[in-house]
Amino acid sequence: GAVVSQHPSWVICKSGTSVKIECRSLDFQATTMFWYRQFPKQSLMLMATSNEGSKATYEQGVEKDKFLINHASLTLSTLTVTSAHPEDSSFYICSAGRGGLSNQPQHFGDGTRLSIL
Amino acid sequence: ELKVEQNPLFLSMQEGKNYTIYCNYSTTSDRLYWYRQDPGKSLESLFVLLSNGAVKQEGRLMASLDTKARLSTLHITAAVHDLSATYFCAVDIRTGNQFYFGTGTSLTVIP
């Protein structure tokens, strides 16, 4: 079964709305989670690394004030898209690993499809 | 700038045929992963390759890693329609499993 749960699966909202996406590790603790964005027919682009108890690390070109990340517990990271606009419409995917230099692959959530009207 | 490139980007092939997808990356790494993505879905892990010369096989898919050449291959044997999907390689260049994904290969297997 799924080891990383993402919620919601699909959200449609009006321009200017803020949208929160949750990513939970279900049967393990994750000090680090990752957020990706995927545009149609394109690859996944790493947006940021979410660190439990500290600030997220953002990739170059990703606006930290636009994409707020909170990793308040070892099993939950949230991504809030603030004042979303149509260009923010995308497929957002989180991932978590079982820790450290693991020889296990990252576990990915099912993704959240965000559509901004 | 890190580059992870896959070749080809799109592939259409008949059932029963063989083909190889290539993944080239531009920096040192000895951890490479292959994932499958079906339309509208998230990623499914296929292979984890952790050392030079690693070879993994599962069903009709076989993956290999040459860290000196910075090249991984995903070989498809006797393709079937169920293999139709987009395949991504991903390179881990930092501690903590921070992945950089390849461009993806969209595979269509024609009955």
Side-chain angles (χ1 to χ4, degrees), chain B residues 11 13 16-21 60-62 73-80 83 87 105 107 109:
Chain B
L11 173 61
M13 58 191 293
K17 298 293 186 181
N18 306 330
Y19 207 83
T20 300
I21 299 170
R60 300 174 188 274
L61 301 178
M62 183 174 69
T73 62
L74 180 66
H75 186 72
I76 304 158
T77 302
V80 292
L83 291 180
Y87 293 85
T105 298
L107 170 65
V109 180

Side-chain angles (χ1 to χ4, degrees), chain A residues 13-20 66 68 80-84 114 116:
Chain A
C13 56
K14 291 184 177 180
S15 185
T17 306
S18 292
V19 180
K20 181 186 285 189
K66 174 76 169 176
L68 299 180
T80 301
V81 184
T82 62
S83 187
L114 175 63
I116 307 298

Side-chain angles (χ1 to χ4, degrees), chain A residues 35-51:
Chain A
W35 288 96
Y36 297 86
R37 178 166 58 182
Q38 185 181 32
F39 292 109
K41 299 191 184 301
Q42 293 188 25
S43 188
L44 281 74
M45 297 295 295
L46 178 65
M47 298 175 65
T49 303
S50 174
N51 304 298

